[in-house]
Amino acid sequence: MFRDKPSTYDRLADTLSGIGDRLAELEEQAVERFHPAPSRTERVRRAIARNMPFHSEPTGVARYLPEFMTGWNMPSTTDARRHMLSLRDSAGDSVDDARGYFADARRHLPDFRLPRFTSFRRGMETERGLDYLRNRPELTALLVVGGAVAVVGTAYYVTKKVQDHAEEPDYDVVREDGAIEIRDYDAMIVAETIKSGYHEKARRSGFETLADYIFARNRDGKKIKMTTPVLQQLAEGDGRTKGWAIRFVMPKKYTMASLPKPAGSDVTLKDMPARRMAAIRFSGNFSATLASKQLMNLYNYLADNNLKQKGDPQYAFYNPPWTPGFMKRNEILIEIER
């Protein structure tokens, strides 16, 4: 009773079907014109190929492409997704390797971090202070002089303390002529060691050997208090010079029997009898030039006063090494006949 009208979808499907039929006719005409019936050899080859495993006959446009292009195909969605995941994993590994490489390289590079604000501020304050002093040379000179005075004052204080607590040999002054004195010394005991070499080297080496003895570094018993001065004199034996005799004067409370026995033959204890000595006193850092000048003055004094010399000159050093030169007390003594 009612006649169904075709829907839009049905009409579109019919149209597409007609187009497909027309394309099939055109395809057959093109094949007949450009690709006539194959030869016997081609028919045999195709028959063999169709019977080979995994053979698939080309379809659509692929049937009319050259043979070297028929193997081309687009990957499936699964293959494409798998390939993308593989690329992402490879890229991640490369990034991790790069991070490790740069982290290792950074450990071998200097630290380029900026200084902290506190350190930077202190540096700026120091620089401003230096600029302030550069622009005021009189203040700079005053600070330098003040620092030097402080150092000298400290050295003088330490030296004075050492001298106040260091025992010296007893003597009486018989005559005094400026820097030269005639003294009568009491008997004393000295610890002596013989060292070779030039003047200063022998004194330094001998001091170390005698210090080991009095401070009980190489022997049993108690320490012996340090005294002044350190004495140095040419040592002779068998008619020839053996080197330098370096001597420490032992404190007066000791006798030869009460003094600890030295551990080896490097140190010997000697009794020094009472003597009269001509002494010249001078300051400064001891040197051969300074000693020669002062020794010549003492020789001239002995000659001018008809005083007869007994033995070689003896050098006396009263101060620690850190004492400033102008504060040092040095003496040269020569034994003379009474």
Side-chain angles (χ1 to χ4, degrees):
M1 189 171 162
F2 296 97
R3 186 175 177 179
D4 296 332
K5 294 182 179 181
S7 64
T8 304
Y9 175 79
D10 293 336
R11 291 197 299 271
L12 181 59
D14 293 340
T15 303
L16 291 176
S17 177
I19 293 174
D21 294 340
R22 181 57 180 166
L23 287 175
E25 293 178 359
L26 292 174
E27 181 181 354
E28 291 177 0
Q29 294 176 5
V31 170
E32 291 177 356
R33 178 174 300 179
F34 296 103
H35 197 42
S39 63
R40 180 179 299 175
T41 303
E42 181 65 17
R43 290 196 300 271
V44 172
R45 186 187 68 78
R46 292 182 181 178
I48 294 174
R50 281 194 296 269
N51 290 281
M52 291 294 292
F54 309 109
H55 170 75
S56 59
E57 190 71 23
T59 57
V61 181
R63 289 180 295 175
Y64 311 111
L65 295 175
E67 289 187 3
F68 73 90
M69 297 181 65
T70 57
W72 292 7
N73 58 350
M74 294 296 292
S76 63
T77 303
T78 302
D79 291 340
R81 184 180 295 109
R82 187 183 299 113
H83 187 63
M84 289 296 295
L85 292 175
S86 177
L87 289 176
R88 187 186 65 182
D89 294 339
S90 299
D93 294 339
S94 300
V95 171
D96 292 339
D97 292 342
R99 288 175 178 171
Y101 172 78
F102 285 114
D104 183 69
R106 186 171 56 185
R107 287 194 296 268
H108 295 83
L109 292 175
D111 191 357
F112 293 106
R113 292 178 297 177
L114 292 175
R116 291 179 299 179
F117 178 74
T118 304
S119 300
F120 180 76
R121 185 177 61 184
R122 290 175 181 172
M124 291 298 294
E125 291 175 352
T126 302
E127 186 64 26
R128 285 196 295 269
L130 293 175
D131 292 338
Y132 183 83
L133 293 177
R134 292 191 190 101
N135 297 329
R136 293 165 177 80
E138 66 283 353
L139 179 59
T140 303
L142 182 61
L143 290 176
V144 171
V145 172
V149 170
V151 172
V152 173
T154 302
Y156 174 80
Y157 176 80
V158 174
T159 300
K160 192 70 170 57
K161 284 294 184 182
V162 171
Q163 290 178 345
D164 291 343
H165 291 82
E167 182 181 314
E168 294 184 19
D170 290 333
Y171 62 84
D172 295 324
V173 178
V174 178
R175 186 193 309 175
E176 183 177 358
D177 290 318
I180 298 177
E181 293 179 346
I182 304 299
R183 305 171 182 169
D184 285 342
Y185 279 88
D186 295 339
M188 64 185 75
I189 301 174
V190 297
E192 179 183 274
T193 184
I194 307 298
K195 299 296 181 181
S196 60
Y198 64 91
H199 193 279
E200 183 179 355
K201 178 182 177 182
R203 184 171 69 253
R204 185 166 56 246
S205 177
F207 185 96
E208 293 176 356
T209 300
L210 295 176
D212 289 342
Y213 167 70
I214 66 171
F215 295 132
R217 294 172 183 164
N218 56 4
R219 62 167 177 82
D220 297 331
K222 296 181 179 180
K223 296 180 181 180
I224 301 173
K225 190 175 180 180
M226 183 72 186
T227 63
T228 59
V230 177
L231 302 174
Q232 182 172 6
Q233 187 178 27
L234 283 175
E236 294 183 354
D238 301 328
R240 64 185 180 86
T241 300
K242 296 191 300 183
W244 292 98
I246 313 300
R247 302 181 182 118
F248 281 2
V249 180
M250 297 293 99
K252 291 187 293 289
K253 69 177 184 178
Y254 288 100
T255 64
M256 189 65 75
S258 63
L259 281 169
K261 184 179 180 180
S265 59
D266 288 346
V267 177
T268 58
L269 300 176
K270 287 187 175 183
D271 273 317
M272 305 293 289
R275 296 172 295 169
R276 175 165 287 185
M277 309 287 287
I280 184 170
R281 179 174 178 172
F282 57 98
S283 61
N285 293 316
F286 192 89
S287 65
T289 302
L290 180 60
S292 298
K293 179 181 178 181
Q294 299 299 327
L295 182 58
M296 186 58 63
N297 292 335
L298 186 58
Y299 278 143
N300 291 335
Y301 179 84
L302 296 180
D304 293 340
N305 291 273
N306 297 318
L307 298 174
K308 189 175 180 179
Q309 177 180 349
K310 294 177 62 177
D312 294 317
Q314 185 172 242
Y315 303 91
F317 307 92
Y318 286 82
N319 305 109
W322 62 77
T323 306
F326 68 92
M327 295 176 58
K328 285 185 176 179
R329 176 186 174 186
N330 308 309
E331 292 180 350
I332 302 177
L333 304 97
I334 297 177
E335 184 180 359
I336 58 176
E337 292 182 353
R338 293 181 182 270

